[in-house]
């Protein structure tokens, strides 16, 4: 089992920045990618960004390209999401995700990001 612990959410004004962190523990050797999803009230959970664990290849939703950057520090089993130029429409609960070999996706508890105008 993989456990994910998130941190870094909070309240920020439009145009500001936040960095989210997600630390994985447990069966971390089975992880092949990690990423971030978000869900606003009354809306579907949507993809934000992913990173492959071995090669570090990244993928982003069109809505965050050029503003967000995902990265990982492998020896810490930690993934980050640097969020710049935040907009009110970025307000959501952000969930860390890990894909592991031979088991369902793991999810963090979620961290609230609120961007005020």
């Amino acid at each position: 089992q993989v456990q994910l612990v998130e941190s870094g959410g909070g309240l920020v004004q439009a145009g500001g920045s936040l960095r989210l962190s997600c630390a994985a523990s447990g069966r971390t050797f089975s992880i092949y990618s990690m990423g971030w999803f978000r869900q606003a009230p009354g809306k579907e959970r949507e993809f934000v960004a992913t990173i492959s664990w071995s090669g570090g290849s990244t993928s982003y939703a069109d809505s965050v390209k050029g503003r967000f950057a995902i990265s990982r520090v492998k020896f810490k089993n930690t993934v980050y999401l640097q969020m710049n130029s935040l907009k009110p429409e970025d307000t959501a609960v952000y969930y860390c995700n890990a894909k592991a070999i031979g088991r369902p996706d793991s999810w963090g508890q979620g961290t609230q990001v609120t961007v005020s105008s």
Side-chain angles (χ1 to χ4, degrees), residues 19-61:
R19 188 179 74 161
L20 306 183
S21 300
C22 176
S25 61
R27 298 289 187 180
T28 58
F29 290 109
S30 65
I31 295 172
Y32 64 88
S33 71
M34 293 183 69
W36 294 91
F37 292 70
R38 66 187 183 186
Q39 187 169 21
K43 297 184 178 180
E44 300 288 334
R45 185 173 298 188
E46 65 177 355
F47 163 79
V48 176
T50 58
I51 187 166
S52 65
W53 205 244
S54 59
S57 299
T58 59
S59 182
Y60 297 93

Side-chain angles (χ1 to χ4, degrees), residues 3 6-7 12 24-25 27 30 36 40 49 52 56 62-63 67 78 82 97 109-111 114:
Q3 294 82 44
E6 302 164 339
S7 63
V12 65
S25 61
R27 298 289 187 180
S30 65
W36 294 91
S52 65
D62 288 342
S63 59
R67 299 189 298 118
T78 299
Q82 179 66 47
N97 166 265
Q109 78 283 2
T111 184
T114 302

Side-chain angles (χ1 to χ4, degrees), residues 13-18 66-68 83-88 90 115:
Q13 293 184 351
S17 298
L18 285 173
R67 299 189 298 118
F68 291 9
M83 304 185 294
N84 299 322
S85 301
L86 283 162
K87 305 174 181 179
D90 295 318
V115 184

